[in-house]
Amino acid sequence: MGLIKEFKEFAVKGNVMDMAVGVIIGGAFGKIVSSLVDDVLMPLVGMLTGNVDFTSLAFQIGEGEGAAVLKYGTFIQNVVDFVIVAFCIFLMLKGINKLNRKKEEPAPEPEAPKGPTQEELLAEIRDLLMK
């Protein structure tokens, strides 16, 4: 019974739940970015490069059944996807870090009462010595 109880405590801890939410949101975010790349950016890039469809770019080595096809266009597409996803995540984390810094800024401490200056202390010592 102890193992089941331990697993239940582990599964409902905040970190595990946060990770699960992150994975789900990450999947949805990936779909959004893929659509942005496939449906918005790549047609523009294709237009600028003479209506080239990157996913159809390939190079065949050899002939017949043993021929190897290098699909470098798909690779280019995936690199563009990666760069855009990485940039979006960078911007998102930058914004989150900015918000966290604002939350963590401590309130300014009230100024400590100012003590006597060095001259005032020396004058006080002098006066005590003269007595």
Side-chain angles (χ1 to χ4, degrees):
M1 189 67 178
L3 183 66
I4 293 173
K5 184 179 177 185
E6 281 184 60
F7 178 73
K8 184 179 175 184
E9 288 176 10
F10 168 77
V12 295
K13 276 188 181 177
N15 293 340
V16 174
M17 299 305 281
D18 290 345
M19 184 178 69
V21 169
V23 168
I24 292 167
I25 291 193
F29 186 70
K31 287 181 181 180
I32 290 170
V33 172
S34 292
S35 176
L36 173 69
V37 171
D38 294 340
D39 302 329
V40 177
L41 296 179
M42 288 313 284
L44 294 174
V45 172
M47 188 176 72
L48 293 173
T49 59
N51 290 327
V52 175
D53 178 16
F54 282 97
T55 57
S56 66
L57 296 176
F59 182 74
Q60 183 173 339
I61 301 174
E63 294 188 26
E65 288 184 31
V69 178
L70 303 176
K71 297 181 179 181
Y72 66 91
T74 304
F75 175 74
I76 292 171
Q77 177 75 34
N78 289 331
V79 168
V80 170
D81 283 351
F82 171 78
V83 169
I84 292 172
V85 169
F87 184 70
C88 289
I89 290 172
F90 167 75
L91 291 177
M92 186 175 66
L93 290 176
K94 186 174 178 177
I96 289 171
N97 287 339
K98 195 173 196 178
L99 289 175
N100 284 340
R101 266 187 255 129
K102 285 183 181 179
K103 287 180 186 177
E104 293 174 1
E105 282 183 12
E109 294 182 20
E111 282 190 35
K114 295 193 176 199
T117 64
Q118 186 175 2
E119 288 80 16
E120 291 172 338
L121 288 174
L122 288 173
E124 194 176 321
I125 293 171
R126 182 197 64 210
D127 293 342
L128 287 173
L129 288 174
M130 291 173 87
K131 289 183 181 178

